[in-house]
Amino acid sequence: MIPYGRQSIDAADVDAVVRVMGSDWLTQGPTVTAFERRLVEQTGAAHAVAFSSGTAALHAAAAAGGLGPDDLVATSPLSFVASANSARYVGARVQLLDIDETTYDVDPASVPADVDGLVAVHYAGLPMDLGRLVNRPRVVIEDAAHAIGARTPDGPVGNCAHSDMCCFSFHPVKTVTTGEGGAVTTNSDELAERLRVTRHHGIRPLGDPDEPWAYDIVSLGYNFRITDLQCALGLSQLDKLERFVERRNQLAERYRELLADLDVVLMPPAAGAGVRHAYHLFAVRVPDRARVYAAMRDEGIGVQVHYVPIYRFSAYSDLGVGPDDFPVTERVYGGLLSLPMFPALTDADQDEVVRALRASL
Ligand SMILES: *Cc1c(COP(=O)(O)O)cnc(C)c1O
């Protein structure tokens, strides 16, 4: 089976993890700090705080941003459910906004004036243009789980040029992996401090020389810590980020050429100077998706659907909205199919995917 996505692990990654296994620190040690420093270099943000998962990063960002039960948080229905769940974890209400067919992201101009927070999803790795927000909510959190290595005209995704915080995931299907893991970047000293406290049970040391053991619990925190083992892998993976994203872009270009004569709708490309797509996913829209899905799977091609829109889930039925309220998302979702996209996919593998798709159509 050629999967839709998979990690690329080399001997340097293995050596990096093994080295940390013999060190004094398996967690809460210097490799976590080194990984955070590398994320700061990569993104250009002032701070990076690493987490046990992308979901924990989103949850902590919502908490650190002060979102709560009085707040309404907008996000995209065409995303992994964690984007919306992050608001619910802190008791906030969710409002889903229909997507823009030219980007598959939410149209920044469509964010209503009455929302308190925005979880901005960069679908498939194409950055939502937050510079075009007309109504900037009080708290803007980027869900950049797909978008490490992507760029906007304002610089790398993660520099928080138009947001308060930017969240990444390092799950193995994402562009760089730590096994499980995530991170939040921010330019705010105060948010960075709250993120660190939230990650570690709400603990803040008092710094009292007479009682050096003493600490306070300043908020409801969690154990959202990442380990040094995971960060050793992450550091080694970040060495290859440019190469990974470059190969993803090459594969995307090649898909666009190879699929040009087929009866499929290709996902929107990066448009505009200075925009770089990260191509976490390469999605097409096909007629008769159920049949194509089954035929591709029979041929050993592990196609997937990203995503079942969030308003279709029973856990979100209390929003009182459904498919009729999201005509664009429904039109896109109706034929959506993710083709294999990962750096180790060879040109020959890709030719095989295209051959199987051509046959199944
Ligand atoms: C993967 C993903 C997440 C969650 O990340 P985990 O590391 O799996 O917790 C959140 N949002 C989006 C859009 C994702 O793709």
Side-chain angles (χ1 to χ4, degrees), residues 106-117:
V106 165
D107 176 358
S110 76
V111 175
D114 66 338
V115 303
D116 305 286

Side-chain angles (χ1 to χ4, degrees), residues 157-227:
V157 165
N159 70 356
C160 301
H162 301 284
S163 70
D164 299 294
M165 289 169 275
C166 182
C167 301
F168 295 104
S169 164
F170 306 119
H171 183 277
V173 297
K174 307 292 164 66
T175 295
V176 299
T177 189
T178 58
E180 295 278 2
V184 185
T185 57
T186 181
N187 292 317
S188 158
D189 298 350
E190 191 185 331
L191 287 173
E193 169 64 13
R194 275 193 237 149
L195 288 163
R196 290 183 195 287
V197 166
T198 302
R199 174 175 68 180
H200 185 47
H201 306 284
I203 293 174
R204 181 173 288 147
L206 289 179
D208 178 348
D210 295 330
E211 297 186 345
W213 62 86
Y215 58 87
D216 190 18
I217 303 293
V218 297
S219 60
L220 179 63
Y222 304 86
N223 177 353
F224 282 165
R225 295 188 303 266
I226 191 168
T227 65

Side-chain angles (χ1 to χ4, degrees), residues 52-58 78-83 121-122 143-146 168-171 173-174 179-182 280 307:
S52 51
S53 69
T55 303
L58 283 162
L78 191 68
S79 187
F80 186 55
V81 69
S83 304
V121 179
H122 305 314
D143 182 342
H146 300 179
F168 295 104
S169 164
F170 306 119
H171 183 277
V173 297
K174 307 292 164 66
E180 295 278 2
H280 162 58
Y307 294 89

